[in-house]
Amino acid sequence: MLNIKLQNKNYHMTVRFHKQNKIALYALIMTLCFSFNNISYCQSISTTQGKDFWVMFLNNNDTATSLSLIAAGNKNTIITVENPNLNWSTTVNLSSDGHVIIPISLKMCNSKLVNKIGNCGLHVTSTENISLYASNFKSYTYDITTILPTIKLKSYYISQDYPSLLPGAELGVLAIMDSTFIKIGDFDSVLLMGGQTYQIQSVSSTGTYSGTAVISNNKPFAMFQGHKCAVIPDGYQACDHLYEQSIPVDYWGREFVVTPVPNSVRKGKGDVVRITSSQDNCIVKRNGKRKTTLKKGETYEYIIHYGEAEFIETTEPATTCLYFSGCEHGGDPGDPASVIVPPVEQGVPYVTFDAYNTSVTKYHYVNIVTNTDNVKGMTIDGKDISQEFKKVNSAHSYATISVTPGTHTIENCNGNFIAFFYGLGLYESYAYTAGMGLKDLSSGQPENIEFEVNGQVFEMVCLGSGSFIMGATPEQGIDLRLNERPTHEVKLSSFCIGKYEVTQSLYKAVMGKNPSLFQGDNLPVENVSWIDCLNFITKLNDMLRDQLGNRKFALPSEAQWEFAAR
């Protein structure tokens, strides 16, 4: 065999030629490679969509609430919901580009259970990626939350809620593993088995769990936050249920664009924004002006006026929530609801979401934020919406898009975006995240990501942008070639590259055959031609297009390969 370098247009690929003129697929030599073109690392993959979820409900104000799960996706999917501790399960089918509503009996998920351990955790699995939402419905006391995939749950959270004049601030935890010990600040601690839940509720006026650190014995769990029925702001009617799945602190960011309800719909005094810091000495700026410095767990609150988007910066990781105000403050339509504002750093290039509807809600909107330079790439259901965007500042733009109830797909062919959906009606509103990444921002380093194709999982290592000196560097001594001179600096944007060689099992999962002479599932595939390599990548991109959005696998350039090896 002869080691050579094969060049094709703008990239190089190191290959091994056999006598049969075949080549071995090397680690990303069919080293599968993403280039994010100045988009942060792996955001396009780590999203709220997934195949495995855990859910619990919080206590609503009315005893006659209706619980349900809502799933949306763009492939035919089989969804199973089970309560493993009560030996109950149900299976439903989700049609391509549709949604399905799954009613949940209070007997299977008792949302009224407070200060007691309950077997109230629901486990949801699906055969294809879906977006999942949990709905706690009663006319005029209603909210929905986006559910996070199990793989993205963590062991450390900080709560945020609204300190309403009415008692009823809520915090719930759900264990997904046996022997999970959870400490809820100075309020409580509990030992839970997998699928068990525990909910606490404030009994005092203006009681709140905001800023409470909730931590486990290094076992991931789910946390939910909200209020039984809050008035927002204090003294303005009417009250409404608040319900959000908490975002692990590892996913908190430092930049936010808060986009309010359009002033053509609500004409009152505005909604409430609350920002909670994860660390001491957190400086908060609004539109570039310093407003306050927060301690760890401390919250800054202000009113945002309708139609006036704002850019928020924090010097430490923080979470930002938008609280819709009651109709007496914000005007009709609408009432209290809560939604977590995704950090700008958690953008995604593609998402399918469900615009839920009730008999009361008349208005349905999705607010979308993207980089100003990427506005021209924005579409919803394939329709160009670039003309709908307004500048927040030179770097960020937003749009408020009216949508019909049902399933929709947002895509940005030039970059990433964040989005949340909301519905408004007479004394009614609800809101939830539509597009958000779940990338670990705690270390400042990109995280690896995994893909699954026909049961085969492969891992990509994500590298931040950087530069290096390419060519015959001094440490090589005399071991060099003339074409390795002169040395030169190469700058690279963020990209991901395969952790291992393309294995025979992966190649077979994609192509349906294994041409290798030296057989072994975990051995690198070999005895393949250049055309075979290109066909493999083309088919892999097609099979995973729903997860990739506008990103594509490709062969790495020589510079990318060398940068990764260094």
Side-chain angles (χ1 to χ4, degrees):
M1 293 187 291
L2 175 66
N3 287 330
I4 69 167
K5 285 185 178 178
L6 178 63
Q7 182 174 333
N8 184 350
K9 293 184 179 179
N10 296 322
Y11 54 77
H12 293 74
M13 177 177 174
T14 304
V15 299
R16 285 187 177 179
F17 272 92
H18 292 267
K19 293 180 180 179
Q20 302 93 327
N21 200 34
K22 301 285 185 173
I23 57 179
L25 282 178
Y26 267 92
L28 262 356
I29 297 178
M30 204 167 274
T31 296
L32 310 169
C33 183
F34 290 111
S35 180
F36 285 110
N37 300 325
N38 299 320
I39 306 300
S40 296
Y41 312 132
C42 317
Q43 297 168 0
S44 59
I45 306 305
S46 298
T47 74
T48 55
Q49 293 182 296
K51 296 180 180 179
D52 194 294
F53 308 83
W54 282 90
V55 185
M56 72 172 290
F57 292 89
L58 298 180
N59 187 15
N60 201 331
N61 188 49
D62 197 297
T63 57
T65 55
S66 175
L67 308 180
S68 62
L69 300 175
I70 306 157
N74 51 19
K75 285 187 176 182
N76 294 329
T77 307
I78 300 172
I79 300 172
T80 300
V81 183
E82 65 171 335
N83 184 321
N85 292 319
L86 297 181
N87 296 319
W88 171 85
S89 68
T90 186
T91 300
V92 298
N93 293 315
L94 171 65
S95 299
S96 176
D97 295 319
H99 76 277
V100 62
I101 300 173
I102 309 167
I104 303 297
S105 167
L106 277 171
K107 294 180 180 179
M108 294 299 108
C109 190
N110 184 4
S111 61
K112 307 299 181 184
L113 195 64
V114 176
N115 296 323
K116 293 182 180 179
I117 294 175
N119 293 315
C120 304
L122 299 178
H123 189 204
V124 182
T125 56
S126 60
T127 55
E128 301 290 345
N129 281 331
I130 60 171
S131 294
L132 186 68
Y133 314 95
S135 163
N136 194 333
F137 176 76
K138 175 64 179 178
S139 292
Y140 311 116
T141 59
Y142 179 40
D143 208 0
I144 304 178
T145 186
T146 300
I147 302 301
L148 309 185
T150 302
I151 195 172
K152 305 308 295 185
L153 300 179
K154 296 284 189 173
S155 60
Y156 176 49
Y157 298 80
I158 296 177
S159 181
Q160 190 199 105
D161 55 44
Y162 189 81
S164 173
L165 279 174
L166 296 179
E170 297 174 325
L171 189 156
V173 292
L174 164 60
I176 64 172
M177 301 173 65
D178 287 343
S179 302
T180 300
F181 179 79
I182 301 174
K183 187 176 187 303
I184 307 173
D186 296 328
F187 293 99
D188 214 335
S189 59
V190 63
L191 180 65
L192 300 176
M193 304 301 285
Q196 289 187 328
T197 59
Y198 188 73
Q199 179 181 177
I200 59 175
Q201 186 179 99
S202 171
V203 296
S204 62
S205 177
T206 66
T208 180
Y209 298 112
S210 286
T212 299
V214 184
I215 189 168
S216 77
N217 51 345
N218 292 320
K219 294 186 177 182
F221 66 98
M223 189 174 96
F224 296 79
Q225 61 197 30
H227 200 285
K228 184 178 179 180
C229 197
V231 290
I232 302 175
D234 289 338
Y236 291 87
Q237 293 297 320
C239 81
D240 210 329
H241 183 50
L242 306 181
Y243 173 45
E244 290 290 333
Q245 181 164 4
S246 309
I247 304 297
V249 174
D250 285 348
Y251 307 142
W252 290 14
R254 290 179 170 86
E255 295 185 356
F256 308 85
V257 175
V258 183
T259 55
V261 173
N263 54 14
S264 60
V265 178
R266 297 198 83 184
K267 303 181 184 298
K269 301 177 182 178
D271 291 331
V272 176
V273 178
R274 286 171 60 82
I275 303 164
T276 302
S277 174
S278 66
Q279 302 291 336
D280 290 334
N281 301 314
C282 177
I283 298 171
V284 178
K285 293 182 180 180
R286 291 169 48 197
N287 294 327
K289 296 181 179 179
R290 181 169 177 168
K291 293 297 180 179
T292 189
T293 300
L294 299 175
K295 297 177 182 179
K296 179 179 180 179
E298 194 174 11
T299 298
Y300 168 66
E301 178 180 316
Y302 71 96
I303 298 291
I304 186 169
H305 299 292
Y306 297 128
E308 298 181 7
E310 291 196 351
F311 178 57
I312 305 297
E313 298 171 275
T314 61
T315 55
E316 301 295 338
T319 187
T320 298
C321 291
L322 177 64
Y323 294 87
F324 290 11
S325 61
C327 59
E328 284 189 357
H329 187 271
D332 177 41
D335 226 12
S338 62
V339 63
I340 293 172
V341 178
V344 171
E345 302 98 309
Q346 295 288 13
V348 294
Y350 174 97
V351 74
T352 296
F353 74 98
D354 185 69
Y356 192 62
N357 186 34
T358 74
S359 60
V360 178
T361 50
K362 293 175 55 180
Y363 304 93
H364 306 89
Y365 293 95
V366 60
N367 285 9
I368 307 170
V369 175
T370 190
N371 288 346
T372 300
D373 291 341
N374 297 332
V375 164
K376 290 185 178 180
M378 290 299 314
T379 64
I380 185 166
D381 300 328
K383 179 183 177 181
D384 181 7
I385 56 172
S386 59
Q387 297 302 314
E388 303 295 327
F389 281 80
K390 303 175 184 178
K391 283 188 177 182
V392 180
N393 51 34
S394 60
H396 306 96
S397 295
Y398 84 101
T400 298
I401 308 295
S402 177
V403 294
T404 57
T407 302
H408 300 279
T409 296
I410 306 173
E411 187 168 5
N412 189 340
C413 65
N414 291 328
N416 287 356
F417 63 88
I418 57 172
F420 69 86
F421 167 81
Y422 51 100
L424 303 169
L426 179 63
Y427 294 102
E428 185 67 278
S429 63
Y430 47 89
Y432 49 89
T433 302
M436 175 180 174
L438 294 172
K439 173 178 166 252
D440 190 337
L441 301 175
S442 61
S443 66
Q445 298 297 320
E447 62 177 354
N448 294 355
I449 50 177
E450 289 185 345
F451 292 92
E452 181 181 345
V453 55
N454 287 337
Q456 293 297 315
V457 177
F458 62 97
E459 186 176 1
M460 306 290 290
V461 176
C462 295
L463 306 173
S465 59
S467 63
F468 72 101
I469 301 300
M470 188 174 184
T473 50
E475 65 266 20
Q476 289 181 238
I478 61 173
D479 183 20
L480 55 86
R481 297 176 182 175
L482 293 178
N483 62 4
E484 294 176 321
R485 291 177 173 173
T487 58
H488 57 284
E489 183 182 19
V490 176
K491 296 182 179 180
L492 293 170
S493 299
S494 307
F495 66 97
C496 299
I497 192 164
K499 186 174 183 178
Y500 303 108
E501 295 86 353
V502 174
T503 63
Q504 294 175 27
S505 59
L506 175 57
Y507 189 90
K508 186 176 180 179
V510 175
M511 304 301 291
K513 59 183 179 180
N514 180 10
S516 302
L517 296 178
F518 302 96
Q519 295 279 315
D521 286 347
N522 293 325
L523 295 179
V525 68
E526 27 82 10
N527 196 37
V528 289
S529 69
W530 170 259
I531 298 301
D532 292 334
C533 296
L534 298 182
N535 288 340
F536 171 87
I537 291 177
T538 298
K539 191 168 182 179
L540 183 65
N541 280 325
D542 183 64
M543 295 174 77
L544 295 178
R545 64 183 182 276
D546 295 334
Q547 300 177 47
L548 295 173
N550 63 309
R551 310 291 179 247
K552 300 292 183 183
F553 289 109
L555 302 175
S557 68
E558 185 175 11
Q560 287 173 323
W561 177 252
E562 185 172 343
F563 183 74
R566 286 172 179 265

